[in-house]
Amino acid sequence: MKYHVILRAQPEGSRLFFLFFIFLFILSSCSPRPQPTSISDKPLGDEVVGKSGGVSALWLATTDFQTAGLLRRLDLKTGELKDLLPVGTDVRIFRDGDSRLFLLTSIQNDSIHLLEWVEGAEAKVVSERALAPRVNPQAVTRDAEGRIWLVSLDSNEVQIFTANLKNEIATIDLSFLKDDGDPYAELSSILFAAPNRIVVSAARLQRGEAWLPSAESRLAVIDTETFGVVASPFVDVSNPLHLYLTRPQNILVVGSGDLSLKRSLFGRWLNLSTVSLTSSDQTTLSSRILDSSLCEDQKLAFIEWIPEEEKSCIRVGEQKLLCEQGNGGFIFNKLTCAGDLLFASYIKEGNAELWVIPRDGSQTKRIPMKQQIQSMSPGP
């Protein structure tokens, strides 16, 4: 099976997040590059695997934002970084079990691919499915029966496919989540909560007002047996980025905050049993959250952007592991937690890198990248 998803053009007005990363890339060449301390040049080795919670590899989707991207795999034991497949300029990757990943492609040739890693071989495309043009797929998950659930930014429908992507089973219309006068609810993330609940977040961005998020986002809780919406609470979290299952029947909603940088709650607990909302242990920040990842010990790692100081910091809860200044503060943009390690994408002065950051404060490893990292996921 041939795999061709390289994108050759950029549409006008695609979406806020894509433009945000282009802005970040331009800013990367505008500031001097201070060197952080405690940086190790030694190759990755067994000590890294021992800290990664058993994760053997990190999968990366990189892009030049213009013509092409790459799907790459970093072996955490040998340190080998291998190019696997050419991909589009706007993609997302999500782990799917022990040996597979989902690849979502946006902008043009919108599609979903299911990839499988075979030891010693290239990544194999198990199945693929074209989507409607320019729906901008954002997130994907499976339910208890193995069915695939997909949400897109420029569609109000949740799509449900068979386990092999061959057939579409149903669609669920969530247009009631949108703001009046705005065509889309901006479905941004999705999560399965056993035994029979799917939770979808709606960012409710104001497209006619510079894509500013509404003061409140909204969730839809869906029954996987009936495909019915059982609850749709408003949440005072601006621009939700991720949903995390933190304990049985509890969902953590994490948002980036208001683009105007007003102080706003960026974390909330949703109890699925009562559909009630409570504050998380992360309450308010005067800065903005660029990305987050929930670690195995249930602590939230995140990238904090502090514009007045032109600084980005990587934090786990209240602990600041490191900060970098310059570049308008747009230095780190993607973050993944694996065991006692954090993996952060870095861009500054035109240089793209992957930082491997031990949570215990020991030496950080910096790995040069050919292109800027757009998405990453622990994987096989």
Side-chain angles (χ1 to χ4, degrees):
M1 180 181 294
K2 294 184 178 179
Y3 178 62
H4 299 290
V5 291
I6 298 179
L7 306 183
R8 299 296 183 186
Q10 300 291 335
E12 296 183 1
S14 58
R15 57 186 167 80
L16 174 64
F17 302 114
F18 184 69
L19 293 176
F20 171 76
F21 284 119
I22 291 178
F23 179 55
L24 182 154
F25 186 75
I26 293 172
L27 281 179
S28 67
S29 61
C30 300
S31 301
R33 184 183 183 188
Q35 295 294 325
T37 59
S38 301
I39 298 299
S40 172
D41 292 323
K42 295 180 180 179
L44 298 179
D46 291 341
E47 71 279 1
V48 173
V49 174
K51 294 179 179 178
S52 64
V55 177
S56 58
L58 183 73
W59 291 66
L60 307 163
T62 65
T63 181
D64 63 7
F65 291 106
Q66 296 178 354
T67 58
L70 283 171
L71 181 66
R72 315 181 77 188
R73 180 182 182 271
L74 174 65
D75 189 305
L76 296 183
K77 185 173 183 179
T78 65
E80 179 186 15
L81 183 59
K82 187 175 183 180
D83 296 348
L84 298 178
L85 293 170
V87 295
T89 57
D90 188 5
V91 302
R92 289 169 179 77
I93 50 177
F94 299 87
R95 187 170 187 172
D96 179 38
D98 294 332
S99 63
R100 294 184 175 186
L101 294 100
F102 289 111
L103 172 70
L104 306 183
T105 301
S106 298
I107 303 300
Q108 287 184 351
N109 303 322
D110 288 22
S111 59
I112 176 172
H113 289 73
L114 184 58
L115 308 178
E116 184 172 35
W117 169 252
V118 180
E119 189 68 30
E122 300 291 337
K124 175 185 177 183
V125 179
V126 177
S127 59
E128 58 188 293
R129 187 180 185 89
L131 303 172
R134 299 186 180 184
V135 293
N136 289 327
Q138 296 294 297
V140 61
T141 192
R142 288 186 188 269
D143 62 19
E145 297 184 18
R147 296 171 299 197
I148 297 170
W149 295 62
L150 176 73
V151 293
S152 301
L153 199 73
D154 293 329
S155 171
N156 290 321
E157 292 185 338
V158 180
Q159 294 179 272
I160 308 169
F161 303 105
T162 53
N164 57 8
L165 286 175
K166 297 302 181 184
N167 298 297
E168 185 177 79
I169 299 172
T171 59
I172 301 173
D173 184 5
L174 298 182
S175 58
F176 69 93
L177 298 178
K178 66 183 179 66
D179 276 345
D180 291 341
D182 196 86
Y184 299 112
E186 285 86 28
L187 307 180
S188 57
S189 56
I190 188 168
L191 177 72
F192 170 63
N196 61 350
R197 290 291 185 264
I198 287 283
V199 183
V200 175
S201 67
R204 306 173 77 234
L205 304 176
Q206 302 300 306
R207 298 183 179 220
E209 299 179 16
W211 292 79
L212 292 175
S214 301
E216 292 182 309
S217 57
R218 200 169 178 183
L219 303 178
V221 182
I222 303 170
D223 188 313
T224 61
E225 297 176 0
T226 66
F227 297 163
V229 176
V230 297
S232 54
F234 287 91
V235 188
D236 54 347
V237 174
S238 295
N239 205 6
L241 296 175
H242 299 292
L243 301 171
Y244 300 109
L245 185 63
T246 58
R247 57 178 72 95
Q249 298 300 304
N250 275 325
I251 305 295
L252 177 61
V253 185
V254 176
S256 66
D258 194 320
L259 293 180
S260 65
L261 300 178
K262 296 177 182 178
R263 294 179 65 87
S264 62
L265 192 73
F266 76 91
R268 277 287 208 180
W269 300 112
L270 170 69
N271 186 290
L272 289 177
S273 298
T274 60
V275 197
S276 59
L277 292 164
T278 58
S279 297
S280 72
D281 54 353
Q282 306 296 329
T283 54
T284 60
L285 290 173
S286 58
S287 52
R288 187 175 175 218
I289 307 304
L290 300 185
D291 198 18
S292 66
S293 181
L294 189 69
C295 299
E296 293 178 4
D297 58 5
Q298 300 292 289
K299 292 185 177 179
L300 186 70
F302 58 94
I303 301 170
E304 180 186 11
W305 171 40
I306 309 172
E308 62 272 15
E309 300 179 24
E310 292 195 356
K311 182 168 66 175
S312 285
C313 295
I314 294 178
R315 295 174 46 172
V316 180
E318 297 300 319
Q319 178 189 11
K320 286 187 179 181
L321 294 180
L322 56 85
C323 295
E324 281 281 290
Q325 283 188 301
N327 209 47
F330 296 103
I331 300 167
F332 303 109
N333 55 68
K334 290 295 177 182
L335 186 68
T336 293
C337 187
D340 292 325
L341 295 176
L342 294 175
F343 299 92
S345 61
Y346 169 98
I347 181 71
K348 196 172 181 183
E349 203 179 30
N351 296 307
E353 297 175 346
L354 172 69
W355 285 25
V356 185
I357 307 166
R359 290 175 58 186
D360 62 8
S362 57
Q363 287 185 323
T364 293
K365 172 66 179 178
R366 286 167 55 169
I367 303 174
M369 294 280 113
K370 299 176 183 178
Q371 300 174 329
Q372 184 174 334
I373 298 169
Q374 188 175 46
S375 181
M376 56 184 172
S377 172

